[in-house]
Amino acid sequence: MSDPYERSAEYLDIMIADAWRPLAPALADVLTGVKAKTGAVVDLGAGSGRGVRVICDALPRTPVLAVEPSVAMRAVLLARLHDDPELRRRVTVTAGDCASFDWPDGVRAVVALNMLGHLPPPQRRALWARAARHLAPGGALVVNVTPPFEPTTVERVRMAHATIGLSEYEGWASARPSGTDEITWHMEYRTLRQGSPLTQASVEYRWWVAPEEALATEAAEAGLSFRPAGDPDLGLRVLTRVGGNNPVY
Ligand SMILES: C[S@@+](CC[C@H](N)C(=O)[O-])C[C@H]1O[C@@H](n2cnc3c(N)ncnc32)[C@H](O)[C@@H]1O
């Protein structure tokens, strides 16, 4: 399968930085509230490693497994880890995806942020089932749900921009319905100098959408409860085993 991030990896970390500003403290809050106190934390689709940084700051001494299928994104991730002695010691990177990753038992938390829509429904259901099987008692799976929740057109919008040196970087997103439960995102990234485009990259990828109730039902079928956490605008959801050892989450 082709990697939609192969051509956009240059832009991803700087384009997602703004989204992580409110997400980072909210994720830290969730993680420190998780009742399970032992086991590794898994970051599924770790991308450039912004989530890994938050996990390590929130949970000192906890080992982290960062699962990332894109070789281009892993290059950014490894650069972030290598430059920080603490991250370098605690974070192990796996070149795999949700389906191929060999889950350890007794996982304290699984973080799967900004990636749920990449999973076709059978893989999404497999994620719930695997989390239910491998979470430690009181452990939690953390995801975020973002609109649209049904196949619909998303008009082209500038989603992020950044300036580094003399260059400006911007990312534009639009989407069109492409199935009964999916949309196709069209992402365009540009580097500009004094307003004139220097380079650009555009990518398309499929993104599976579902109403929240459908996700909650799927999770319940796997034995997981599905609860909101933090500022509603962030769309954070915490999944824990139903009847699990009275977890905080
Ligand atoms: C939008 S990025 C988000 C990265 C990171 N979680 C963040 O929030 O900064 C989505 C990531 O999910 C990864 N991904 C795509 N399909 C995946 C799968 N089936 N299993 C695990 N990761 C996947 C991509 O390679 C990409 O790095």
Side-chain angles (χ1 to χ4, degrees):
M1 201 184 64
S2 71
D3 170 19
Y5 292 91
E6 189 181 332
R7 279 182 322 226
S8 58
E10 173 186 358
Y11 296 93
L12 247 291
D13 184 68
I14 58 174
M15 293 292 107
I16 209 163
D18 281 350
W20 271 99
R21 244 179 285 284
L23 199 50
L27 174 62
D29 269 2
V30 170
L31 290 174
T32 52
V34 169
K35 175 122 181 193
K37 297 298 176 209
T38 59
V41 174
V42 176
D43 190 350
L44 282 178
S48 59
R50 288 187 176 272
V52 161
R53 165 93 270 165
V54 175
I55 295 164
C56 286
D57 287 347
L59 302 177
R61 292 178 297 282
T62 299
V64 177
L65 305 178
V67 180
E68 175 48 56
S70 163
V71 64
M73 294 307 298
R74 283 201 306 278
V76 185
L77 171 63
L78 286 166
R80 172 161 277 138
L81 303 180
H82 188 265
D83 266 3
D84 182 309
E86 178 68 7
L87 295 182
R88 191 172 172 177
R89 199 173 55 76
R90 285 169 54 194
V91 184
T92 303
V93 176
T94 294
D97 62 17
C98 275
S100 64
F101 171 58
D102 193 11
W103 289 55
D105 285 327
V107 172
R108 182 173 185 170
V110 179
V111 174
L113 292 180
N114 302 316
M115 60 80 69
L116 199 57
H118 279 305
L119 306 181
Q123 279 186 37
R124 192 174 63 216
R125 283 192 287 270
L127 170 62
W128 310 142
R130 291 185 118 194
R133 208 159 49 241
H134 292 276
L135 282 175
L141 164 62
V142 190
V143 302
N144 59 343
V145 292
T146 49
F149 302 110
E150 57 188 30
T152 186
T153 299
V154 179
E155 297 300 337
R156 188 170 179 271
V157 64
R158 191 174 79 165
M159 50 157 190
H161 63 104
T163 302
I164 299 179
L166 298 177
S167 299
E168 302 133 54
Y169 299 84
E170 41 179 52
W172 294 77
S174 60
R176 60 176 192 280
S178 50
T180 53
D181 55 359
E182 65 170 276
I183 58 174
T184 296
W185 282 110
H186 179 73
M187 316 296 287
E188 299 161 63
Y189 301 96
R190 299 199 297 183
T191 308
L192 304 106
R193 190 81 47 85
Q194 291 178 329
S196 300
L198 288 181
T199 57
Q200 57 185 35
S202 58
V203 293
E204 289 204 333
Y205 53 83
R206 300 168 79 181
W207 188 257
W208 276 267
V209 295
E212 169 127 28
E213 311 78 63
L215 297 178
T217 302
E218 285 177 7
E221 283 164 6
L224 296 173
S225 68
F226 189 91
R227 276 165 281 178
D231 181 339
D233 287 346
L234 297 175
L236 277 180
R237 301 291 181 268
V238 180
L239 292 85
T240 50
R241 284 217 294 261
V242 176
N245 200 13
N246 189 29
V248 171
Y249 280 109

